Amino acid sequence: MTGGGFAAAEGGHARDDYGGGVTVSVVVTCLMAASCGLIFGYDIGVSGGVTQMESFLAKFFPEVSSGTKDAKHDAYCKYDDQRLTAFTSSLYIAAMLSSLVASRVTRTVGRQAVMLMGGVLFLLGSAINAGAVNVAMLILGRMLLGFGVGFTTQAAPLYLAETSPARWRGAFTAAYSIFQVLGALAATVTNYLTNRVPGWGWRVSLGLAAVPAAIVVLGALLVPDTPSSLVLRGDADGARASLQRLRGPGAETDAELKDIVRAVERARRDDEGAYGRLCAKGYGHYLVMVVAIPSFFDLTGVIVMAVFSPVLFRTVGFSSQKAIFGSVILSLVNLASSLLSSFVLDRAGRRFLFIVGGAAMMICQLAMSCILAGHLGKQNAVTMPRDYAVAVLVLMCLYTFSFGVSWGPLKWVVPSEIYPVEIRSAAQALTVSIALCLSFAQTQVFVSLLCAMKHAIFLFYAGWVLVMTAFIAAFLPETKGVPLEAMRAVWAGHWYWRRFVRDAKQEVQVNCM
């Protein structure tokens, strides 16, 4: 063992290093599971581009189409239509509902089966959207896409956290975020190409969502379930074989399996009432994080910027094609920053990236608000001077880069690793559901807020970024390199939370640390 030990919750010893290296098996398995991020990313990338395509608007939302061509129309209000935003937001409400169901299903059939179900649902939704002839069909397809997203976002990050070695868990779990960015990049490039196709280019953009869905289905068919999930469902032999394949020769798989079994036995004793347990004494710190992390993530404004970036670019004066090209640039920046984050995440630590990224995001939002206040909407201006429009693009790139190395991957990494096994599925489901519920609310009202608040919308988000960065600095403990089975010790050693969670067994853990 290369360092001190952690006493497990039930009196054993959870190790900080079980030996073995990064095997081909664990890399391939985690990449296949992380590919679930493709479908969420593709949807984020495709929906914003499609909603400003003239052919799409003319067919389904002719009032919006005519408004975008009206020179007297307020620049901030060109796309203010509740039916149009419902096309985007309906996915998130469906995803929220399905993620809650996925928690219980995951404990019964395993993480791998839930990822497979999510991929199939997304595949069906993409087919309906591609063939839509009215708004009702669009909404139905979007809701099926949402069910698929809800299942996969609940299962995939937990799969990655439970499968990857503790030393590199951050990098492996961040792979979900990287695939999400790859999906968004693929969607924006698709939009850029199909926007030139008159009449039906939007059908190609929506229909090609079947490609990442097929990749997810294939990946879910090929990967085994996680050792923790197998033990939870009574297959200890399968869990041992899975660990041996993942960790490779030289790893102390028996020791790791014992720690997993010990943690799962504790979870099984408390199997019922996982949601209620989050409100019980000794679990309050987990409940705070269940609410705080997804809430702060959405209040960065990144979801609406990612979804509506083409609309924002159209607002400041870009043509339709240039607006989508701007989104392609943002996706490339996001990909580069996500790749960088995967290399530094397990070295710099979670808290450092949260704080530095949050500070940079806040500065960019303040600068964007100042530029929009000075050069858009004043004296009935409906577009911005070219140099200032380019400055907005640059600032959005800097914002996206800051987000991509911090909150982007960490929003998936931290919740997947901080919860004990007895509440892990329930807590992850609530985390995802809260995030999706807020995403639904924001995507539904953002265009109206942009119309009402104008440049001050970015001041609103900057204020929340300040609050969340201060919260992380004060209340989130560092979790890099800590085995999942020993995570309780981190909370027991925190300056604030220890007064609520420390007990005799956790005191032993702190001393071992």
Side-chain angles (χ1 to χ4, degrees), residues 453-474:
M453 299 178 68
K454 298 179 170 48
H455 64 88
I457 188 70
F458 295 106
L459 295 178
F460 170 78
Y461 287 124
W464 280 110
V465 173
L466 175 62
V467 172
M468 76 187 196
T469 303
F471 175 88
I472 292 296

Side-chain angles (χ1 to χ4, degrees), residues 431-507:
T431 299
V432 171
S433 297
I434 291 170
L436 292 170
C437 184
L438 286 171
S439 295
F440 162 74
Q442 287 201 83
T443 51
Q444 185 63 39
V445 305
F446 173 72
V447 178
S448 296
L449 285 177
L450 180 64
C451 180
M453 299 178 68
K454 298 179 170 48
H455 64 88
I457 188 70
F458 295 106
L459 295 178
F460 170 78
Y461 287 124
W464 280 110
V465 173
L466 175 62
V467 172
M468 76 187 196
T469 303
F471 175 88
I472 292 296
F475 297 111
L476 183 70
E478 181 57 64
T479 56
K480 71 169 184 176
V482 181
L484 297 182
E485 293 74 32
M487 198 63 71
R488 296 173 191 272
V490 175
W491 298 95
H494 187 267
W495 72 272
Y496 180 78
W497 299 119
R498 63 187 177 189
R499 71 189 70 182
F500 302 105
V501 303
R502 178 171 289 182
D503 58 26
K505 294 174 182 176
Q506 290 170 336
E507 186 71 42

Side-chain angles (χ1 to χ4, degrees), residues 75-76 78-79 310-318 376 382-383 450:
Y76 289 100
K78 292 179 179 179
Y79 295 90
V311 172
L312 286 172
F313 290 140
R314 287 297 297 273
T315 299
V316 301
F318 287 18
L376 184 64
V382 295
T383 60
L450 180 64

Side-chain angles (χ1 to χ4, degrees), residues 195-482:
N195 192 43
R196 302 181 181 186
V197 180
W200 51 270
W202 59 270
R203 292 191 186 276
V204 179
S205 290
L206 295 178
L208 284 179
V211 175
I215 293 173
V216 169
V217 170
L218 179 62
L221 287 171
L222 295 177
V223 299
D225 214 338
T226 69
S228 292
S229 183
L230 289 168
V231 170
L232 190 63
R233 290 183 288 122
D235 189 2
D237 292 335
R240 178 178 287 104
S242 178
L243 268 180
Q244 290 172 345
R245 181 171 58 255
L246 292 170
R247 301 293 182 252
E252 299 180 37
T253 53
D254 287 340
E256 185 173 2
L257 182 62
K258 287 180 181 178
D259 288 333
I260 291 173
V261 170
R262 191 175 295 117
V264 169
E265 285 176 350
R266 173 175 179 163
R268 188 174 285 116
R269 286 198 300 271
D270 301 322
D271 189 51
E272 296 300 324
Y275 287 106
R277 193 173 298 113
L278 277 167
C279 301
K281 183 178 179 181
Y283 290 87
H285 50 300
Y286 298 123
L287 180 61
V288 169
M289 294 301 165
V290 163
V291 176
I293 291 178
S295 298
F296 285 140
F297 171 83
D298 270 84
L299 290 170
T300 61
V302 71
I303 287 294
V304 290
M305 284 196 190
V307 172
F308 293 113
S309 58
V311 172
L312 286 172
F313 290 140
R314 287 297 297 273
T315 299
V316 301
F318 287 18
S319 67
S320 179
Q321 198 69 1
K322 288 182 179 178
I324 296 177
F325 185 69
S327 296
V328 173
I329 295 174
L330 290 182
S331 296
L332 288 171
V333 170
N334 201 1
L335 176 60
S337 60
S338 298
L339 290 171
L340 174 63
S341 179
S342 68
F343 285 104
V344 303
L345 193 57
D346 291 304
R347 294 175 174 85
R350 281 56 160 161
R351 280 167 46 85
F352 175 80
L353 293 179
F354 265 134
I355 294 169
V356 173
M361 290 159 62
M362 182 173 59
I363 292 171
C364 291
Q365 287 172 324
L366 291 173
M368 280 190 286
S369 180
C370 291
I371 292 175
L372 291 174
H375 300 282
L376 184 64
K378 296 189 71 174
Q379 297 178 344
N380 297 321
V382 295
T383 60
M384 293 176 63
R386 180 177 180 275
D387 291 344
Y388 289 102
V390 172
V392 170
L393 172 60
V394 172
L395 285 169
M396 287 191 69
C397 287
L398 293 174
Y399 171 90
T400 301
F401 184 87
S402 303
F403 171 82
V405 296
S406 58
W407 278 85
L410 289 171
K411 183 253 185 175
W412 303 107
V413 172
V414 172
S416 68
E417 67 186 8
I418 62 175
Y419 305 126
V421 68
E422 67 267 22
I423 62 169
R424 190 173 297 155
S425 288
Q428 178 71 2
L430 279 177
T431 299
V432 171
S433 297
I434 291 170
L436 292 170
C437 184
L438 286 171
S439 295
F440 162 74
Q442 287 201 83
T443 51
Q444 185 63 39
V445 305
F446 173 72
V447 178
S448 296
L449 285 177
L450 180 64
C451 180
M453 299 178 68
K454 298 179 170 48
H455 64 88
I457 188 70
F458 295 106
L459 295 178
F460 170 78
Y461 287 124
W464 280 110
V465 173
L466 175 62
V467 172
M468 76 187 196
T469 303
F471 175 88
I472 292 296
F475 297 111
L476 183 70
E478 181 57 64
T479 56
K480 71 169 184 176
V482 181

